[in-house]
Amino acid sequence: MIDPRSFGKVGVLFGGKSSEREVSLMSGGGVLQALRSRGVDAHAFDPATQSLADLAAARFDRVFIALHGRYGEDGTIQGALELLGIPYTGSGVQASSVAIDKRMTKQIWVAEGLPTPAWRTARADTDFKRVVAELGDALIVKPSREGSTIGITKVTSHDHDELRLAFEEAAQYDADVLIEELVVGRELTCALLGEGKATRALPLIEIRAPGANYDFHHKYYSDDTQYLCPAPIDARLAADVQALAVRAYNALGARGWGRVDVMVDVHPRGDKPYLLELNTSPGMTGHSLVPMSARAAGLSYEDLVLEVLASARLDWQGASQP
């Protein structure tokens, strides 16, 4: 049992300046309510309206990061908290900055021998005909450093103009754009808690969105998306996907908690999972997946929040540990 008084004064960081601000407000509101319901001295803090000087003056003993996207999930706020000496939840500066960059993430996974869909980095002068020749005409185009499916487009034709329009949509959010081979199959996600050898995978969730289109609306506002937890898949495949997610998480040096998204290519010769991305500050809204997976493991929303908060620390502290 965790004594709520042991946490001291806790800041819940949410809102922020990213394109995911709206989602972060919902996540942070849920976390704040959960902490207060368990007797934690928790206080709201929005970096979009309050300064770093305000953060220092608040004298928090630790903070729960419920920020998503840039300035909250990319190592920026983590670096500020390191300088201020305030322990925080989730991954450290380096792991956060790498994980939000899908291109860098995929390069590390490939170097570690982990499966991820083939991709190309695209810019305005990219030869899109060559990309189609190399990757095929079933593609997904996405900003490299955005989340919540913002700026993502599926392209399933030889129409190079359609691919260019998808690139232009993604380029509104990031100068780096990924064109990735589209894996058609079962969409799974794996929530993770802990660090290193102590990392544990929670039950898998299978996502079934209308038309296989798990976009921003279907993710946060629609009741039409189905979430099956535990995922109704073969037990051996489930164990393989969980083990793969743990390896992917640790390859990036993640800690505290996170969520790895996976596509399983369903094939008569055997199902093959492909890693898509790692979220180091997952959503905590009413539609969010980590709380859903935790419930299936017998962990309430409130207990999940307390466990994540208990893992808060600083990078430099970790460096001195054996």
Side-chain angles (χ1 to χ4, degrees), residues 22 30 57 61 69 104 109 127 166 179 210 223 253 294 309:
E22 183 180 356
D61 294 298
M104 291 300 299
W109 284 342
D127 183 346
I179 301 178
D223 292 324
L309 182 62

Side-chain angles (χ1 to χ4, degrees), residues 81-95:
L81 291 165
E82 291 283 342
L83 289 171
L84 294 173
I86 306 172
Y88 55 91
T89 57
S91 293
V93 177
Q94 179 173 299

Side-chain angles (χ1 to χ4, degrees), residues 17-50:
K17 300 178 180 180
S18 82
S19 58
E20 298 179 71
R21 174 178 172 81
E22 183 180 356
V23 179
S24 176
L25 288 171
M26 293 188 286
S27 289
V31 169
L32 185 66
Q33 182 178 353
L35 290 175
R36 288 175 173 174
S37 74
R38 289 298 179 89
V40 177
D41 181 22
H43 304 262
F45 190 95
D46 186 348
T49 60
Q50 296 169 274

Side-chain angles (χ1 to χ4, degrees), residues 101-180:
D101 188 324
K102 297 178 183 66
R103 177 173 59 87
M104 291 300 299
T105 293
K106 288 166 78 71
Q107 288 175 341
I108 291 173
W109 284 342
V110 168
E112 293 291 323
L114 301 176
T116 186
W119 83 97
R120 298 292 183 272
T121 302
R123 293 183 173 82
D125 60 351
T126 293
D127 183 346
F128 293 107
K129 291 184 180 179
R130 181 175 179 179
V131 171
V132 171
E134 293 174 344
L135 298 182
D137 59 1
L139 304 167
I140 188 159
V141 184
K142 59 180 75 172
S144 183
R145 292 162 291 197
E146 279 290 349
S148 291
T149 63
I150 293 171
I152 289 182
T153 306
K154 289 182 181 179
V155 178
T156 55
S157 76
H158 283 91
D159 187 342
H160 302 131
D161 289 335
E162 183 181 348
L163 183 56
R164 180 174 290 279
L165 287 173
F167 163 80
E168 291 172 355
E169 170 67 18
Q172 295 182 58
Y173 301 95
D174 196 344
D176 279 353
V177 173
L178 258 61
I179 301 178
E180 187 179 75

Side-chain angles (χ1 to χ4, degrees), residues 108-109 112 114 246-254:
I108 291 173
W109 284 342
E112 293 291 323
L114 301 176
V246 170
R247 289 179 62 197
Y249 177 86
N250 286 327
L252 300 187

Side-chain angles (χ1 to χ4, degrees), residues 3-296:
D3 182 357
R5 294 171 297 182
S6 67
F7 295 128
K9 185 180 181 182
V10 174
V12 179
L13 275 53
F14 63 105
K17 300 178 180 180
S18 82
S19 58
E20 298 179 71
R21 174 178 172 81
E22 183 180 356
V23 179
S24 176
L25 288 171
M26 293 188 286
S27 289
V31 169
L32 185 66
Q33 182 178 353
L35 290 175
R36 288 175 173 174
S37 74
R38 289 298 179 89
V40 177
D41 181 22
H43 304 262
F45 190 95
D46 186 348
T49 60
Q50 296 169 274
S51 69
L52 291 180
D54 295 329
L55 184 57
R59 303 186 66 83
F60 294 128
D61 294 298
R62 64 180 62 202
V63 298
F64 191 113
I65 298 178
L67 296 163
H68 308 313
R70 294 185 184 181
Y71 309 114
E73 198 174 353
D74 62 355
T76 304
I77 194 68
Q78 289 80 5
L81 291 165
E82 291 283 342
L83 289 171
L84 294 173
I86 306 172
Y88 55 91
T89 57
S91 293
V93 177
Q94 179 173 299
S96 297
S97 61
V98 170
I100 201 170
D101 188 324
K102 297 178 183 66
R103 177 173 59 87
M104 291 300 299
T105 293
K106 288 166 78 71
Q107 288 175 341
I108 291 173
W109 284 342
V110 168
E112 293 291 323
L114 301 176
T116 186
W119 83 97
R120 298 292 183 272
T121 302
R123 293 183 173 82
D125 60 351
T126 293
D127 183 346
F128 293 107
K129 291 184 180 179
R130 181 175 179 179
V131 171
V132 171
E134 293 174 344
L135 298 182
D137 59 1
L139 304 167
I140 188 159
V141 184
K142 59 180 75 172
S144 183
R145 292 162 291 197
E146 279 290 349
S148 291
T149 63
I150 293 171
I152 289 182
T153 306
K154 289 182 181 179
V155 178
T156 55
S157 76
H158 283 91
D159 187 342
H160 302 131
D161 289 335
E162 183 181 348
L163 183 56
R164 180 174 290 279
L165 287 173
F167 163 80
E168 291 172 355
E169 170 67 18
Q172 295 182 58
Y173 301 95
D174 196 344
D176 279 353
V177 173
L178 258 61
I179 301 178
E180 187 179 75
E181 179 184 21
L182 179 63
V183 177
V184 178
R186 303 178 77 167
E187 187 167 2
L188 304 174
T189 195
C190 182
L192 300 147
L193 295 174
E195 179 178 2
K197 293 181 179 179
T199 302
R200 71 183 195 274
L202 299 182
L204 297 177
I205 299 173
E206 181 172 3
I207 303 163
R208 295 181 183 175
N213 184 27
Y214 192 45
D215 59 10
F216 188 89
H217 173 75
H218 287 133
K219 181 174 287 191
Y220 295 109
Y221 296 106
S222 173
D223 292 324
D224 296 328
T225 302
Q226 291 182 294
Y227 302 98
L228 308 178
C229 185
I233 61 175
D234 177 78
R236 179 174 293 182
L237 175 59
D240 289 346
V241 171
Q242 287 175 313
L244 179 63
V246 170
R247 289 179 62 197
Y249 177 86
N250 286 327
L252 300 187
R255 70 168 192 247
W257 69 316
R259 197 191 77 236
V260 173
D261 296 334
V262 179
M263 284 297 298
V264 175
D265 183 5
V266 180
H267 197 279
R269 289 177 295 183
D271 300 333
K272 183 174 181 180
Y274 289 88
L275 297 164
L276 299 182
E277 62 180 283
L278 165 65
N279 295 275
T280 55
S281 183
M284 290 292 285
T285 73
H287 280 72
S288 291
L289 304 177
V290 175
M292 184 185 304
S293 182
R295 284 196 300 273

